Amino acid sequence: MSEPASIATGIAGRYASAVFDLAREENQMDALERDVDTLQQALAESGDLRDLIHSPIYSREQQQAAIGAVADKAGLSATMGNVLRLMASKRRLFVLPQMLTALRARIADEKGEITADVTTARPLSSEQSERLGRTLAEKLGHEVKINSAVDESLIGGLVVKVGSRMIDTSIRTKLAQLQNTMKEAR
């Protein structure tokens, strides 16, 4: 890991620990999980928000006012809103994505969950997602939370990543394997 990346991860980890501990003390774990979901979705959907947290052209005061407005509009908890404002005042908003990732991991650990990153060619229906979650929970012995993504280049099938394990049943991979086999047969 490069030095700037490790510094950002360290900063994000400290903020995540503080927010997590505050939420646990105040018995607000459900609110914290909703806040993380809301912020991750907002970052994924809003280029303006991504610009706000990364751009050096905004002053501390502008970042603080803007992130405060986002927190209020999104209905984030007071704790999360205050932490975001503090991060803006310290010019630390750039670590927000890493902080959310760290918070998601701490919340999952607290709940005894494992996260599975699932990539499919088409979005999974809620029934398919639930069935996959149950199957993975049976195999892994833990409750599984599924993070879904769509990659049409897979053609069909799915790719499941759980920790360091990966299961790739995509048609794209099977075609690539077939192509390699055919090259070797020549």
Side-chain angles (χ1 to χ4, degrees):
M1 189 180 306
S2 69
E3 188 175 331
S6 65
I7 291 170
T9 302
I11 293 168
R14 288 191 294 277
Y15 279 108
S17 291
V19 172
F20 183 83
D21 291 344
L22 283 170
R24 191 168 36 186
E25 283 175 19
E26 297 170 359
N27 203 19
Q28 296 291 319
M29 295 302 290
D30 290 338
L32 177 62
E33 190 169 11
R34 281 191 305 274
D35 289 349
V36 170
D37 291 340
T38 300
L39 284 168
Q40 284 185 320
Q41 183 177 356
L43 282 170
E45 294 174 359
S46 174
D48 290 339
L49 181 56
R50 289 188 302 273
D51 288 345
L52 173 71
I53 67 171
H54 291 294
S55 178
I57 65 169
Y58 299 107
S59 69
R60 292 173 196 257
E61 294 77 22
Q62 289 172 320
Q63 276 189 326
Q64 207 170 1
I67 201 70
V70 167
D72 294 342
K73 178 98 170 140
L76 300 179
S77 67
T79 300
M80 183 62 80
N82 289 338
V83 167
L84 292 174
R85 288 176 183 91
L86 174 67
M87 289 171 70
S89 74
K90 303 285 186 190
R91 308 267 319 157
R92 298 285 191 246
L93 278 179
F94 68 95
V95 302
L96 182 59
Q98 294 97 327
M99 182 187 87
L100 295 175
T101 300
L103 278 170
R104 171 115 21 240
R106 298 230 17 206
I107 291 167
D109 190 45
E110 177 85 3
K111 293 167 77 175
E113 285 180 343
I114 294 176
T115 301
D117 295 319
V118 178
T119 307
T120 55
R122 286 183 300 227
L124 293 174
S125 69
S126 59
E127 179 186 330
Q128 290 170 323
S129 186
E130 288 172 18
R131 201 167 15 152
L132 179 60
R134 282 194 307 271
T135 302
L136 289 171
E138 289 172 13
K139 298 285 184 201
L140 300 170
H142 292 281
E143 187 175 331
V144 176
K145 181 168 181 158
I146 295 178
N147 285 338
S148 299
V150 175
D151 180 359
E152 293 177 0
S153 73
L154 294 179
I155 305 170
L158 56 109
V159 178
V160 179
K161 293 179 187 172
V162 180
S164 62
R165 289 186 259 172
M166 182 170 99
I167 303 164
D168 188 343
T169 63
S170 68
I171 293 175
R172 176 182 66 191
T173 298
K174 289 181 180 184
L175 288 172
Q177 289 169 344
L178 179 61
Q179 184 178 24
N180 287 338
T181 303
M182 291 174 72
K183 283 181 183 176
E184 290 173 7
R186 289 186 194 172

